[in-house]
């Protein structure tokens, strides 16, 4: 699945910028305040004023008949790590409005942007059985569609996302300052604090906040489906709602009678989530899978540039659907 | 419970259909994989479970209704086993089925004849292989099947067709009377001469049923009773035993009294009341209620006072009672101008001293009988009798019985008148005496004499006798109709004190024309009878006075006179208005010579051709009278010429068994076999299914109302 021309044209006019300095060389597109050798070799260049002697590659100097130094990646690239919820709820929706499809499009678009800026990306997906390292550690090589697509295709969302394990898997990769983009519906996370959705939501954002505290710029992207916002089952029909994560008991109810209560509960939950994100200084972008990808990308890029972001109040979203 | 078509029980698998339909018919909710199920947990649950609980009863009703319907196709029945006697080896058998009127009795909700037919059907299936079976009914008009000709089912089909034509079971033939005719079905003899021959009789244990059966009939045909289960003795019912219509001279000369005798049969409680209704001319005019005494009998009397009364049909009926045997709950008769017998006595030896008059003792006897057998008596001389036969004489019109008491032989014209009178239904009683000349009588009265007369003979001078002596009268021949048991005749004890000195000998009866009712001790006939066409003749071979015999002084003389007059007048009684046993032929009397039609019960009319001039023989208008009720013979102008009341023999009402009958004893002693009686359950099951269908509809309606 490739990006549309419209999105490509949009991305051509965009720049992936972050609020703080990043670790990297002057060759990168991002500011850096760290002088440290990179671990991954990129190329050689001629020795210049200011270069440390230990960076001289004597073997290359011998071959080039002039003094050459090693050029490493960390010195100039932004590390963009995608942390993806790959639980069963991410499969909700059909076709282009499938939540997993939309998630993949966001990843592809930002990978496309990173490639043009010589940034590195990494991908971590949380499957039912645990955190799966799809493309970790972050590397510029993953920005190539030839490498990224097979990695994404290997993930099939199922089960319940193990948030504890998934976020723990991020830890080894935050030694350098980078950006972590967490994409999920955030509707019913499972955390160790308990099965209460409000408590679990608050714990999740607390855990995400610790990443920010360790110098990582974090952004949470909540993707909702239109059905979850509008609850379109208005006829007098019996609907059996099965938990997409397989964790909760099936609820069989009269859809028309349950709609009002559901929307009220959804609004309360989103308000609670916004409060948790704000409390732990986690920028949060909320979008729906039927929204234009460009709009969602714009929100994400703006949030990354600003370093902090909160979505509009949930009531606004629900009011737009004419349900409140 | 068993099934006639058990293979159809496979259809019970169809019971799964309502279950499957119920499961698939249930409104299944749409299923959605949802991410925010926890936000729906506070929503009200669906109402599907509550409705399912209600529909469960609907499902049960549907399954039961379907199951009952499927069982109905399998034709279920209950089996009641009865132990009967049966020969175990191959043999020739005739299955005799009682079809008399008593088989209309309802036992356990089913008519006796249906139970008997079911028993016969099962029995025939159990006869040892190699046996040949024939079938017959007690009704002589019913179907018969010789050995090996038809199956039991075919025979019962033929019987059903016969009953449909007859309309009702009214026959009164006893099983014992039917046995000789049934024995003819064994002719020609069996292929294997040594094979046993048996008549299996299916009936109830009554005197006219199995209890009266002989143990065998010649030649070597055993009669084995197969008693009905359950027994009819346990069924209580009431019936009209008799309806007598007589003159009520104590009220007025034109009044009639109708006496209706009611009797209870079986375990009837003492004091049980029976309501009766009397209809005259088709209109119910009177009702009465009587209580049965300890013997189970009661009598109701109705007084009819109509000076201008003619011949009118009368019907007594038991009403307001659901009786198990309805056929004997009604009795028909005719209310006539007079019930008296018109008696004309020709006194051949009158005397100024009444004690020596030829008819003194006869007149005395008639006076004694006035209360129970009224008679209008006129006594004439032989000359006056001859005047009646003159061309301008009155003849013997309106005479029922003519008595020639020691009368000289009449002349030819008078004899011709008498003979015509007898042939047309009149009764003639000839008594012997000094003035009876055998030769003259043989010459002129040959046509009406029971036997030709040989001559007067003193008992002491009989061959072999050496001195004058008197001779007694032997016990009566009880098989003669004169001595048949009846309820309204005086008991007859025998003629123990009668002594006879002189008798009129008769010629031997080589043709078997006459019947001997009484005979002397040495065998000479004392009283002979002979039916001649519609009339009847009796000959007393001794005198009516004391000249030849003291018979008239015997206590049994009065009962003998009553029985003889009733028998002799029966021809005239039947002549215009009388009673017939159901099934007997209807013969037109002399007075109905101009009859053109007969109106049957139910107002159907049968046309009949007028008699030809000079035709003198009786004409059979109906070969059999199957329907109960009144038969009216009318002329072309619609005037009633004669009428008959057809009733069932009241003896058919007796449905109780004798205390201990020989048939039951014999049945217990014989080798036994079990016979299954099938009691079909189709009717009850169909009713059950209909109730379930109604219940299913009601449940569905209630469900619709509840769901709005």
């Amino acid at each position: 699945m490739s990006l549309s021309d419209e999105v490509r044209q949009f991305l051509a006019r965009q720049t992936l910028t972050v609020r703080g300095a990043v670790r990297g060389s002057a060759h990168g597109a991002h500011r850096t305040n760290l002088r440290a050798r990179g671990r991954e070799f990129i190329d050689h260049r001629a020795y210049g004023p200011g270069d440390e002697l230990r960076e001289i590659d004597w073997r290359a100097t011998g071959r080039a008949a002039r003094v050459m130094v090693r050029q490493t990646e960390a010195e100039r690239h932004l590390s963009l790590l995608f942390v993806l919820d790959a639980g069963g709820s991410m499969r909700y929706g059909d076709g282009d409005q499938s939540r997993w499809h939309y998630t993949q499009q966001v990843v592809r678009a930002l990978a496309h942007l990173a490639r043009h800026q010589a940034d590195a990306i990494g991908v971590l997906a949380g499957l039912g059985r645990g955190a799966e390292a799809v493309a970790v550690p972050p590397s510029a090589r993953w920005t190539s569609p030839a490498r990224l697509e097979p990695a994404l295709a290997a993930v099939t969302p199922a089960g319940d996302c193990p948030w504890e394990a998934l976020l723990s898997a991020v830890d080894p990769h935050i030694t350098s300052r980078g950006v972590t983009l967490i994409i999920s519906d955030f509707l019913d996370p499972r955390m160790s604090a308990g099965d209460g959705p409000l408590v679990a939501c608050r714990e999740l954002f607390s855990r995400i906040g610790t990443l920010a505290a360790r110098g990582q710029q974090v952004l949470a992207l909540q993707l909702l489906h239109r059905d979850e916002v509008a609850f379109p089952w208005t006829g007098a029909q019996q609907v059996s709602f099965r938990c997409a994560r397989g964790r909760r008991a099936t609820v069989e109810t009269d859809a028309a009678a349950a709609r009002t209560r559901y929307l009220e509960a959804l609004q309360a939950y989103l308000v609670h989530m916004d409060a948790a994100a704000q409390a732990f200084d986690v920028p949060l972008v909320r979008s729906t899978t039927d929204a234009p990808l460009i709009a969602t990308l714009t929100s994400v890029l703006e949030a990354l540039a600003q370093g902090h972001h909160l979505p509009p109040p949930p009531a606004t979203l629900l009011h737009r659907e004419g349900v409140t | 419970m068993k099934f006639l078509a058990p293979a159809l029980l496979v259809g019970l698998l169809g019971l799964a259909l309502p279950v499957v339909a119920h499961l698939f018919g249930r409104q299944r909710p749409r299923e959605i994989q949802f991410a925010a199920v926890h936000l729906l947990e506070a929503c009200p649950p669906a109402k599907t479970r509550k409705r399912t609980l209600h529909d469960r009863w609907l499902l049960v009703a549907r399954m039961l209704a379907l199951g009952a319907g499927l069982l109905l196709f399998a034709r279920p029945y209950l089996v009641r086993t009865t132990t009967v006697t049966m020969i175990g080896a191959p043999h020739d058998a005739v299955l005799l089925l009682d079809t008399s009127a008593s088989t209309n009795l309802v036992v356990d909700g089913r008519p006796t004849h249906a139970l008997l037919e079911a028993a016969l059907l099962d029995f025939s299936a159990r006869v040892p292989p190699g046996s040949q079976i024939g079938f017959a009914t007690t009704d002589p008009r019913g179907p018969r099947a010789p050995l090996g000709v038809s199956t039991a089912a075919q025979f019962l089909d033929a019987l059903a067709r016969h009953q449909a034509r007859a309309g009702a079971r009214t026959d009164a033939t006893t099983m014992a009377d039917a046995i000789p005719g049934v024995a003819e079905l064994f002719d020609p003899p069996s292929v294997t001469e040594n094979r046993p021959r048996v008549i299996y009789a299916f009936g109830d244990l009554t005197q006219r049923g199995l209890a009266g059966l002989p143990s065998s009939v010649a030649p070597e045909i055993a009669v084995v009773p197969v008693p009905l289960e359950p027994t009819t003795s346990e069924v209580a019912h009431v019936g009209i035993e008799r309806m007598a219509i007589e003159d009520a001279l104590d009220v007025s000369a034109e009044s009639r009294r109708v006496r209706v005798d009611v009797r209870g049969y079986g375990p009837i409680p003492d004091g049980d009341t029976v309501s009766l209704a009397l209809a005259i001319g088709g209109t119910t005019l009177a009702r009465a209620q009587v209580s049965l005494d300890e013997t189970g009998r009661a009598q109701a009397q109705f007084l009819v006072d109509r000076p201008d009364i003619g011949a009118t049909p009368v019907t007594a009926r038991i009403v307001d009672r659901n009786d198990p045997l309805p056929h004997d709950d009604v009795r028909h008769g005719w209310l006539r101008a007079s019930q008296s017998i018109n008696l004309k006595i020709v006194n051949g030896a009158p005397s100024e001293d009444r004690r020596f008059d030829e008819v003194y003792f006869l007149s005395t006897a008639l006076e004694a009988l006035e209360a129970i057998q009224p008679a209008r008596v006129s006594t004439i001389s032989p000359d006056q009798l001859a005047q009646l036969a003159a061309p301008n004489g009155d003849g013997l019109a309106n005479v029922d019985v003519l008595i020639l008491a020691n009368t000289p032989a009449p002349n030819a014209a008078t004899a011709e008148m008498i003979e015509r009178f007898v042939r047309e239904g009149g009764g003639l009683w000839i008594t012997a005496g000094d003035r009876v000349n055998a030769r003259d009588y043989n010459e002129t009265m040959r046509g009406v004499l029971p036997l030709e007369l040989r001559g007067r003979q003193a008992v002491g001078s009989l061959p072999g006798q050496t001195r004058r002596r008197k001779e007694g009268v032997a016990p009566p021949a009880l098989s003669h109709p004169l001595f048949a048991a009846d309820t309204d005749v005086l008991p007859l004890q025998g003629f123990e004190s009668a002594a006879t000195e002189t008798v009129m000998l008769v010629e031997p009866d080589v043709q078997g024309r006459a019947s001997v009712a009484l005979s002397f001790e040495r065998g000479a006939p004392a009283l002979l009878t002979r039916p001649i066409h519609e009339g009847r003749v009796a000959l007393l071979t001794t005198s009516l006075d004391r000249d030849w015999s003291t018979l008239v002084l015997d206590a049994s003389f009065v009962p003998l006179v009553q029985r003889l007059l009733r028998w002799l007048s029966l021809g005239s009684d039947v002549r215009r208005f009388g009673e017939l046993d159901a099934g007997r032929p209807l013969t037109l009397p002399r007075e109905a010579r101009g009859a053109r039609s007969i109106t049957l019960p139910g107002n159907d009319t049968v046309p009949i051709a007028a008699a030809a001039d000079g035709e003198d023989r009786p004409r059979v208008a109906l070969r059999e009278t199957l329907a109960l009720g009144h038969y009216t013979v009318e002329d072309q102008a619609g005037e009633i010429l004669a009428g008959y009341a057809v009733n069932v023999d009241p003896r058919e009402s007796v449905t109780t068994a004798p205390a201990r009958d020989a048939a039951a004893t014999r049945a217990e002693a014989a080798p036994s076999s079990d016979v299954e009686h099938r009691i079909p359950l189709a009717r009850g099951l169909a009713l059950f299914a209909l109730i379930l269908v109604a219940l299913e509809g009601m449940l569905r309606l209630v469900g619709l109302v509840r769901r709005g």
Side-chain angles (χ1 to χ4, degrees):
Chain A
M1 187 66 68
S2 60
L3 298 170
S4 64
D5 293 340
E6 184 183 5
V7 173
R8 291 177 184 275
Q9 291 172 6
F10 166 76
L11 293 174
R13 299 190 299 270
Q14 301 299 318
T15 303
L16 178 59
T17 57
V18 295
R19 174 173 58 90
V22 299
R23 291 186 177 182
S25 67
H27 297 279
H30 308 281
R31 297 183 292 118
T32 181
N33 53 5
L34 182 62
R35 294 181 180 273
R37 292 184 62 184
R39 292 177 300 177
E40 194 166 339
F41 172 78
I42 298 296
D43 203 354
H44 291 94
R45 64 174 172 83
Y47 178 80
D51 289 336
E52 293 185 7
L53 291 177
R54 60 180 178 180
E55 293 179 352
I56 297 173
D57 186 341
W58 297 107
R59 193 174 291 178
T61 300
R63 285 197 300 270
R66 58 176 179 167
V67 179
M68 302 294 289
V69 296
R70 292 171 57 84
Q71 192 176 20
T72 58
E73 183 187 38
E75 293 171 334
R76 52 179 215 169
H77 292 156
L78 171 68
S79 294
L80 179 57
L81 180 61
F82 295 99
V83 178
L84 306 180
D85 177 358
S89 64
M90 296 300 286
R91 297 173 61 183
Y92 189 83
D94 298 324
D96 293 344
Q97 295 190 15
S98 162
R99 187 153 31 216
W100 183 244
H101 172 79
Y102 202 90
T103 300
Q104 289 177 317
Q105 289 294 83
V106 171
V107 172
R108 289 188 188 101
L110 294 179
H112 178 82
L113 196 58
R115 183 155 58 92
H116 283 277
Q117 296 184 182
D119 289 334
I121 65 168
V123 180
L124 270 175
L127 287 167
R129 56 186 179 275
E132 183 166 310
V134 177
V136 171
S139 169
R141 290 179 297 178
W142 299 116
T143 58
S144 166
R147 291 175 178 263
L148 180 62
E149 289 300 332
L152 290 177
V155 179
T156 302
D160 198 7
C161 177
W163 283 106
E164 298 280 3
L166 181 61
L167 295 178
S168 297
V170 176
D171 286 346
H173 308 291
I174 59 175
T175 53
S176 300
R177 293 180 65 89
V179 174
T180 300
L181 178 59
I182 304 172
I183 304 177
S184 172
D185 54 21
F186 295 112
L187 284 177
D188 190 13
R190 181 173 59 127
M191 300 298 290
S192 60
D195 206 28
L198 297 180
V199 175
C201 178
R202 186 171 182 82
E203 186 186 0
L204 173 61
F205 277 90
S206 168
R207 185 72 175 82
I208 296 173
T210 59
L211 298 179
R214 294 170 63 182
Q216 191 79 356
Q217 185 172 349
V218 178
L219 177 63
L221 172 59
Q222 182 182 27
L223 285 177
L224 298 175
H225 192 275
R226 178 58 53 193
D227 292 349
E228 294 160 348
V229 175
F231 205 78
W233 303 285
T234 55
Q237 57 179 324
Q238 303 296 326
V239 181
S240 178
F241 293 98
R242 295 186 60 187
C243 181
R245 301 176 185 84
R247 178 152 53 92
R248 297 187 182 275
T250 300
V251 174
E252 194 169 309
T253 185
D254 188 339
R259 184 169 186 265
T260 303
R261 287 196 180 189
Y262 167 79
L263 292 176
E264 291 174 355
L266 176 64
Q267 181 176 358
Y269 179 80
L270 295 181
V271 168
H272 177 82
M273 190 172 73
D274 291 351
Q278 189 171 17
F280 297 104
D281 198 19
V282 176
L284 175 62
V285 172
R286 179 174 295 132
S287 181
T288 55
T289 56
D290 60 341
L293 182 59
I294 293 173
T296 301
L297 291 174
T298 302
S299 299
V300 169
L301 293 176
E302 286 178 355
L304 289 174
Q306 294 171 3
H308 59 86
H309 182 270
L310 273 181
T316 306
L317 177 68
L318 300 178
H319 179 69
R320 194 166 64 233
E321 301 303 327
V323 295
T324 58
Chain B
M1 185 168 63
K2 293 185 176 181
F3 301 92
L4 289 177
L8 295 180
L9 289 178
V10 177
L12 286 177
L13 294 176
L15 285 179
L17 290 178
V19 180
V20 173
H22 195 77
L23 292 177
F24 280 90
R26 179 176 173 267
Q27 184 183 359
R28 300 185 69 82
R30 178 183 175 187
E31 192 169 286
I32 295 174
Q33 298 272 349
F34 204 59
V37 172
H38 63 285
L39 301 178
L40 291 162
E41 289 175 346
C43 296
K47 298 177 181 177
T48 52
R49 294 182 187 279
K50 187 175 180 181
R51 190 192 61 193
T52 302
L53 182 64
H54 169 76
D55 289 348
R56 196 170 297 163
W57 291 108
L58 189 63
L59 175 66
V60 169
R62 284 175 177 168
M63 290 183 67
L64 284 177
L66 186 59
L70 291 171
L71 284 178
L72 203 59
F73 279 112
R75 299 169 67 188
Y77 63 92
L78 288 179
V79 175
R80 179 180 293 169
T81 303
T82 306
T83 301
V84 298
T85 59
M86 184 190 295
I87 293 179
H91 58 286
D92 293 344
V94 172
L95 275 52
L96 172 61
L97 187 65
D98 187 1
T99 55
S100 62
S102 64
T103 60
N104 291 301
L105 183 73
V106 176
V107 182
D108 289 348
R110 298 185 68 196
T112 304
H113 59 76
L115 297 173
L116 290 173
E117 291 170 9
L120 180 139
L121 196 61
D122 288 335
F123 188 95
S124 64
R126 290 175 170 268
V127 173
S131 301
Q132 282 193 314
I133 313 176
F135 302 94
T137 65
T138 54
D139 187 350
R141 297 170 295 276
R144 295 192 170 200
L147 297 180
V149 171
S150 64
T151 64
Q154 291 171 336
F155 168 71
L156 292 180
D157 288 343
L159 177 60
R161 289 194 296 273
H162 168 72
Q163 295 297 348
R165 184 179 63 84
R169 292 171 183 266
T170 56
D171 183 61
T173 308
T174 66
M175 298 202 82
D177 292 341
I179 286 291
V182 173
E184 296 174 0
L185 294 177
F186 287 105
D187 295 329
S190 306
V191 177
T192 305
E193 293 293 341
N194 293 330
R195 281 162 66 113
R197 297 190 292 180
V198 185
I199 296 174
Y200 294 105
F202 291 79
D204 49 29
L205 274 174
T206 60
Q207 189 60 42
R208 296 172 64 82
L210 300 184
L213 282 176
S215 60
S216 64
V217 290
E220 297 179 352
I221 299 175
V223 179
V224 176
V226 182
L228 173 71
E229 290 289 344
T231 175
T232 58
S233 296
E234 299 167 359
V235 181
H237 73 98
V238 296
I240 298 177
E241 189 176 26
R242 178 173 174 271
M243 180 174 68
I245 304 171
E246 58 196 24
D247 294 343
L249 299 177
D250 54 330
V251 179
S252 72
E254 304 298 336
S255 298
R256 307 288 178 266
R257 180 176 286 111
V258 179
R259 289 188 293 136
V260 181
D261 293 330
V262 179
R263 183 177 172 187
Y265 304 90
I268 288 282
D270 290 345
D272 191 9
T273 58
V274 178
S275 298
L276 291 163
L278 184 73
I280 300 177
T283 304
T284 300
L285 296 179
R287 286 179 178 268
Q289 194 172 53
V290 293
S291 297
L292 301 179
D293 60 15
E294 63 274 7
T295 64
R297 287 181 168 85
Q299 186 181 79
Q301 293 190 7
F302 300 90
L303 196 63
V304 183
D305 189 8
R306 297 174 63 183
D308 57 344
I309 192 168
T312 309
V314 180
T315 300
R317 191 183 303 274
I318 294 175
V319 295
D320 302 335
R321 192 182 187 98
N322 186 18
D323 196 59
L325 184 59
H327 286 67
D328 63 352
D329 291 351
V330 61
R331 196 80 187 166
H332 306 285
W334 283 92
L335 195 63
R336 303 188 294 274
S338 174
Q339 305 296 133
S340 300
I341 298 174
N342 288 327
L343 192 62
K344 192 173 285 292
I345 302 173
V346 181
N347 189 350
S351 172
E352 294 179 353
D353 188 346
R354 290 192 63 220
R355 293 175 299 170
F356 298 98
D357 193 278
E358 185 72 24
V359 297
Y360 168 70
F361 294 99
L362 176 62
S363 301
T364 305
L366 291 174
E367 290 174 4
L369 290 170
E370 182 62 33
I372 58 174
Q373 184 60 69
R376 299 184 179 184
V377 182
S378 63
T379 304
I380 60 174
S381 65
D383 294 338
Q384 291 173 312
L385 177 64
Q387 291 174 3
L388 293 177
N392 56 351
D394 295 334
L396 293 174
N398 299 323
V399 175
D400 294 322
V401 178
L402 175 67
I403 300 176
L404 300 179
N406 194 12
T407 305
N411 58 33
T414 307
E416 183 182 352
M417 176 190 69
I418 294 173
E419 185 174 346
R420 188 185 319 118
F421 163 73
V422 172
R423 295 171 71 87
E424 292 177 351
L428 174 64
W429 185 11
I430 303 171
T431 66
D434 296 334
R435 303 192 180 187
V436 174
N437 185 283
R439 190 179 57 190
D440 294 345
Y441 261 82
N442 291 339
E443 185 176 341
T444 60
M445 299 284 282
R446 181 189 303 270
V448 294
L449 282 175
L451 292 174
E452 291 188 9
L453 306 181
R454 175 180 292 180
R456 182 177 62 176
Q457 183 74 47
V459 173
S461 62
L462 288 172
Q465 299 287 329
T466 57
R467 61 183 176 84
R468 183 181 178 85
R469 56 175 295 181
K470 295 181 180 179
E471 192 169 4
V473 176
L478 296 180
S479 60
H480 195 280
L482 275 182
F483 307 112
D486 207 341
T487 55
D488 59 345
V489 293
L490 298 174
L492 192 146
Q493 303 295 336
F495 299 88
E496 296 176 352
S497 65
T500 304
E501 296 177 346
T502 306
V503 300
M504 177 66 72
L505 298 178
V506 294
E507 297 292 344
D509 187 9
V510 294
Q511 298 179 348
R513 297 183 302 179
S515 300
V516 178
L518 285 176
S519 58
F520 297 107
E521 289 177 339
R522 294 183 60 84
L527 182 63
L528 299 120
T529 62
R530 177 189 169 191
I532 299 176
H533 288 269
E534 295 181 61
R536 303 178 176 194
V537 179
L539 170 65
L540 182 66
T541 59
T542 188
S543 63
L544 264 181
D545 58 6
R546 294 179 297 176
D547 290 350
W548 287 13
S549 172
T550 61
L551 178 71
V552 295
L553 301 178
D554 193 276
S556 294
F557 178 68
V558 174
L560 176 66
V561 170
Q562 185 201 10
R563 290 166 183 266
L564 195 56
L565 291 181
R566 283 173 60 88
W567 185 78
L568 289 171
S569 65
L570 197 57
S572 69
D573 205 24
V574 171
R575 204 161 57 208
R576 289 198 62 191
F577 297 96
E579 291 191 12
L580 276 178
D581 286 339
R584 302 298 296 271
L586 191 154
T587 305
L588 291 180
R590 176 187 58 184
E591 286 80 356
R593 188 166 292 174
R596 302 305 297 269
S597 65
I598 298 178
T599 302
L600 309 179
N603 291 328
D604 290 337
T605 301
V606 177
I608 53 178
D613 291 340
E615 181 178 335
D616 198 23
R617 58 185 175 83
R619 290 188 297 137
V620 176
L622 291 175
R623 292 172 57 189
E624 53 188 14
T625 48
L626 298 174
L628 304 180
H630 297 92
Y631 290 67
T632 308
V633 181
E634 298 170 340
D635 63 7
Q636 199 160 12
E639 184 181 349
I640 298 176
L641 301 179
Y644 298 90
V646 176
N647 295 300
V648 175
D649 191 328
R651 291 175 294 180
E652 284 297 311
S653 300
V654 181
T655 54
T656 53
R660 187 66 180 171
D661 55 272
T665 306
R666 220 169 59 246
E668 292 172 2
S672 62
S673 176
D674 289 341
V675 169
E676 292 182 349
H677 300 268
R678 293 175 178 173
I679 304 173
L681 301 175
R683 188 180 302 175
L685 205 56
L687 182 62
F688 180 61
L690 284 177
I691 292 174
L692 287 174
V693 168
L695 180 65
E696 190 265 352
M698 193 173 66
L699 286 174
R700 195 165 46 181
L701 186 63
V702 170
L704 288 175
V705 170
R706 280 187 178 178
R707 287 194 287 270

